[in-house]
Amino acid sequence: MNRLGPGARGTLIGVNSLLIVGGLLVAWELLVRLLLSERYILAAPSAIVDRLASRSDLYARALLVTLREASWGFLYGNGAAMLLAMLVALFPVSERLIQNLALVVFCLPLVATGPVLRVIFGTSDGPQITLAALAVYYTTFVSLVVGLRAIPASWADLVASYGRGRLAMLRYVRARAAVPYLVAGLQVAAPAAVLGAMVGEFTGAERGMGVLVIQGIRSLDVVATWTVASLATVASIAVYGLAVAFGRWLSPGTPPLLLTARPNRKPSAATLWISLGMAALTGLLILLMWQISMDWLNLNRFFAKRPGDVWEFLVTHANARSHREQVFQALGSTLGVTLPGYFVGLMVGLLTACVFELFPWVRRGVMPVAIALRSVPIITTAPLVIILLGRGGASLITLVAVMTFFPTLIACAQGLRQVPGQVVDVFNTFAAGRLRILVLARLPAALPAFFAGARIAVPTAVLAATVAEWLATGTGIGNLMALTYSTSNYGLLWSAVVLLTAVSVAGYSLVVGLERLVLSQVAPEQVVG
């Protein structure tokens, strides 16, 4: 295949992809007709096509509404991510503060965020666009920060020798080095924007694909549910393809990876105190922003709780002990499925990226399936997985692993390609095979991207578990938040949100600590502070 020209190679890749997709559709049709025809859990592709043909106007209007909301959310979210990343590059001392604030916002459970946004924006598209923006900004921000730091010290010294400052460094060096990482972030963000818009539509919108999903589930219309899920999947893959095409246009070549000497630098007591002070400042700012935003919007204290209300509910209230037991028991149940699913998703994502690197033809065939698994809305995936695996931990672990898998796969696949060409040439000179190059060169080079994906996956895993619990399992803190919202027990709801957010931040911090430990040995240019 390497002897083929670019045009012929592209045609062959297209034919292979069509054959694989066609085979999967035939297998899907036979599975439904021969084995699942009496179970009513999966609609056949032919039934989905018939439904689309008979109600084409309805689905076309809903799809256009969702895509418009997702597009605005994509623009707003990624615009905010780029702005925050540039601030981090220009003012490195602000990185931890910005990272922490962005992480806390990203960790807010959609179960609670959606209804609050609906109260603020009413029946407009505001909640859908906001949730779509929240779903995309963090993944792009984390990837972009990694890319902006991925420059050799010699480049920074060269710019400084000409008397140029951080702005020139950002414009002429860091921005260009960050392009591949920006592309990777946008590829993850594209389908996430569609998911965010659909989740926003669940909170009481009048139009869109999310509204059709709710209607299909409530009426037990399996064909309608899978029709919307299939349409959303195709739309998500299409926007992912647009992001890939944009990335190829934006980055005509692969930039070289950087090889730097490990600096002789040890953590000092001052660094520790600065970290603790920054964490305390972040917590104080979050509490102030929480209190001020609620008061400024004049939201009713009955459902819009302030920090003091949560403190009273968990600490000073007469029934505070029972409140704490209820919340922590549900939180323990959620963590019991989130952690295994998180690690399974990470490992499968890393191993899949390695397989793609060893066997490029597998990448061309399996990548569309991987995109589809991430693009299918979890609200349609969760009932099917639970029916197949039961309501126990296995189904939740599977859902969390699926939601963790895709960002890890994209990040690792991108990282494995960042080996300098000179390094590969040296291995080729000694006739080293792909496996040896993968183990000795590509995997070390991919570690920064792997940890970037692992950090992004922490809040994603928590969100996947809570959303699944909210929808179907009847266990965990996600289910507790859904019950408290339906019974107007907003004190318990906000307390659960605070604890869940704190757990996500703690998990993220653990990954950051492990990342610093590993990268300080193999990629010191990626370590700051």
Side-chain angles (χ1 to χ4, degrees), residues 139-140 143-144 146 179-192 236-237 239-241 243-244 247-248 345-354 356-357 363 366-375 401-418 445-454 456-457:
T139 54
T140 303
S143 297
L144 201 50
V146 173
V179 169
Y181 297 86
L182 172 63
V183 170
L186 294 180
Q187 291 174 0
V188 176
S236 298
I237 293 175
V239 296
Y240 174 83
V244 172
R248 288 175 178 172
L346 283 184
M347 291 301 102
V348 174
L350 176 61
L351 292 176
T352 305
C354 293
F356 285 172
E357 195 59 42
R363 174 191 178 91
V366 177
M367 183 58 84
V369 179
I371 296 172
L373 285 174
R374 175 63 176 84
S375 303
V402 169
M403 296 298 290
T404 306
F405 167 78
F406 187 78
T408 305
L409 172 62
I410 293 296
C412 291
Q414 182 73 24
L416 290 173
R417 292 180 166 187
Q418 299 305 305
L447 283 175
F450 170 76
F451 280 108
I456 293 173

Side-chain angles (χ1 to χ4, degrees), residues 467-527:
V467 169
E469 291 170 343
W470 171 51
L471 290 173
T473 65
T475 60
I477 202 166
N479 176 67
L480 179 65
M481 288 191 289
L483 291 176
T484 54
Y485 175 68
S486 62
T487 57
S488 301
N489 190 352
Y490 292 105
L492 184 56
L493 172 63
W494 281 88
S495 300
V497 170
V498 170
L499 291 176
L500 195 59
T501 305
V503 168
S504 298
V505 173
Y508 184 94
S509 301
L510 287 175
V511 176
V512 169
L514 182 60
E515 177 185 20
R516 286 177 177 276
L517 180 64
V518 175
L519 294 188
S520 63
Q521 302 298 318
V522 299
E525 77 280 357
Q526 296 287 339
V527 182

Side-chain angles (χ1 to χ4, degrees), residues 79-89 98 102 137 141 145:
M82 293 179 191
L83 178 61
L84 292 175
M86 286 190 292
L87 287 176
V88 168
I98 294 177
Y137 88 96
F141 170 68
V145 168

Side-chain angles (χ1 to χ4, degrees), residues 66 69 193-203 209-211 213 228 232 377:
T66 301
E69 297 163 350
V194 178
L195 290 176
M198 292 184 66
V199 172
E201 291 167 350
F202 298 157
T203 63
M209 301 287 287
V211 176
V213 170
V228 177

